[in-house]
Every structure is written in C-alpha cells, then in structure tokens.
Amino acid sequence: MIIYEKTRSIRFRKVSRLLLQRLPGHVSPRRFEHILRVSGTAQEIAKNLGCSLEKVRLAALGHDLARQWDGSKYIQYLEARGFSIRYEFRERPILLHGPVAAQILKEEYRIHDEDILEAVQHHTLGKPGMGLVGRILYVADYVEPGRKYIDQGFYQQILAESSIHGMVLGVIEHARSRGKTVSGQALDMEQEARNAYTDSTKTQVSYETQAI
C-alpha cells in the first residue's frame, strides 16, 4: 500500500510538471498566471487541512486547461464521447470547461484518481458530497489573490478558517453579496457545509465545556 501511494505521488508530480510545461501553449499568459495563483492558494489551504498536496496541485493546474476553447467545441468534444448535454449547459457552454478538462486529464494524461477528476469537473459550480480536494479547489479558484473582487482581508479570513466547511460558506456568501447567482449545486453544497459546520461547532463547544 505504501509503495502504491508513493508511485501515485510520483505520477501526480510528473503530470503536474508536464502541465506546467504545456499550459503556456494552450492558455493566455493572464490565464496561466491565474492557474498558478489558484495552485498556490489551494496548496496553502491543503497544508492547513492536511490534504494531499500532490492531488491538490494537479487538480489546480488542470482545472482551466480547456478554459479558452470556443463554446461549441466543448459540446462537440463531450458529445463525441457519449455525454449528454443538459439545456443550461448548451445555453452557457463555458460551464463545460471543467468537465472537459477532467476528461482531458483522464484521456491524455492517464489520471484516474476520482478526487482529482471530481475536483476539476465541478470546480465552477460545486457539488454536494464533493470530497476535500474538490472543495479546496472550489474555494481557491474563487479567492485567489488576483481576483479583483477579493481584498486581502477576505483572503486572509478564508485561509485562517480551520474548517473547509467554513471556507465554503464564506465563499458562497461573498458571491451572493456581489449579486451573483448561486447555482443549485452550490446551494446544496452550502446547506451541506452549514450542517457540517454547525455540528463541528457544537462538538467543539461540548469539548471545551467538558475541559472546564
């Protein structure tokens, strides 16, 4: 098991290096800088939460690798592989850049780790039940310090949060305060995070009371 995990980590690091080499040829300099900032932010969060740095780094580097495709190409790419496209995605095909990027990682880079693929696929709209890698990428993509709507105070506030659920709640509430429409998936994830965050807070209060 230890050998298997070590082999996977080596594989993830190798693909991350390949992405760093190839991304400048597939995305604009501005997009590449965004990807690097998301990667740095995601890894900082991962360190604080004890999550795999290799998985988080690879997911972050791959999340926008198809971001600058023409909208019709997303639909053609996915339909050619047997995926059915819902109406709302046909109306806004840019929302498919995550699913396409996940498929590229699977096909061209032979990444089959479900945590990584799920994170990349759902990093834009979120998804209830998403794993820790996915939630970290969701948060990091929103709060990376190059975003014009993020000030240093909010960035530090999110990174100081000890729970990924608290981070998710902070991000969704911030988006709502900006007048952004929160997706149905994100609303479900918000409720899930609120329940988990409330439960963890109650547990902490109970522990502190017992300690007294």
Side-chain angles (χ1 to χ4, degrees):
M1 186 65 176
I2 294 176
I3 295 175
Y4 173 71
E5 289 297 330
K6 185 176 181 180
T7 302
R8 283 208 313 170
S9 293
I10 292 172
R11 173 68 184 158
F12 295 158
R13 289 196 292 270
K14 181 179 179 181
V15 173
S16 290
R17 288 195 296 271
L18 281 174
L19 286 171
L20 284 172
Q21 293 170 7
R22 296 176 180 178
L23 276 168
H26 295 281
V27 299
S28 68
R30 182 179 177 183
R31 178 62 52 182
F32 184 56
E33 290 298 320
H34 161 73
I35 290 171
L36 294 180
R37 289 192 299 268
V38 171
S39 179
T41 301
Q43 289 180 79
E44 188 169 351
I45 295 172
K47 288 177 186 176
N48 295 336
L49 299 181
C51 186
S52 167
L53 293 179
E54 286 84 4
K55 286 188 179 186
V56 166
R57 182 175 186 237
L58 177 48
L61 291 175
H63 83 283
D64 269 358
L65 63 86
R67 180 62 175 76
Q68 293 180 279
W69 284 18
D70 177 72
S72 61
K73 188 176 178 181
Y74 295 125
I75 295 173
Q76 293 169 5
Y77 179 91
L78 292 172
E79 285 187 332
R81 287 157 177 77
F83 292 93
S84 59
I85 311 298
R86 300 203 309 264
Y87 172 78
E88 60 265 36
F89 293 111
R90 290 185 181 278
E91 289 293 297
R92 296 182 63 198
I94 190 62
L95 295 176
L96 294 170
H97 76 275
V100 168
Q103 194 64 25
I104 291 173
L105 286 175
K106 190 174 182 178
E107 290 184 16
E108 298 183 19
Y109 293 90
R110 295 184 289 115
I111 295 298
H112 300 284
D113 182 89
E114 288 302 321
D115 290 336
I116 296 172
L117 296 178
E118 175 189 61
V120 173
Q121 180 174 348
H122 298 286
H123 75 269
T124 302
L125 300 179
K127 188 192 81 165
M130 194 156 59
L132 182 57
V133 176
R135 291 172 193 267
I136 288 174
L137 180 57
Y138 178 82
V139 170
D141 189 36
Y142 186 89
V143 305
E144 63 93 345
R147 296 291 197 188
K148 293 181 180 179
Y149 52 78
I150 297 296
D151 60 39
Q152 187 65 18
F154 181 70
Y155 177 83
Q156 293 299 336
Q157 174 189 330
I158 290 295
L159 265 65
E161 174 61 58
S162 62
S163 164
I164 187 60
H165 303 298
M167 294 181 188
V168 168
L169 290 173
V171 162
I172 294 175
E173 185 55 39
H174 189 277
R176 188 178 285 117
S177 73
R178 295 172 52 229
K180 296 297 182 180
T181 301
V182 179
S183 71
Q185 298 97 304
L187 287 173
D188 290 341
M189 187 168 68
E190 179 185 35
Q191 186 57 54
E192 185 178 72
R194 182 173 285 112
N195 293 340
Y197 192 63
T198 300
D199 290 344
S200 65
T201 301
K202 287 180 179 178
T203 301
Q204 181 63 26
V205 170
S206 175
Y207 173 79
E208 291 174 352
T209 301
Q210 291 175 19
I212 293 173

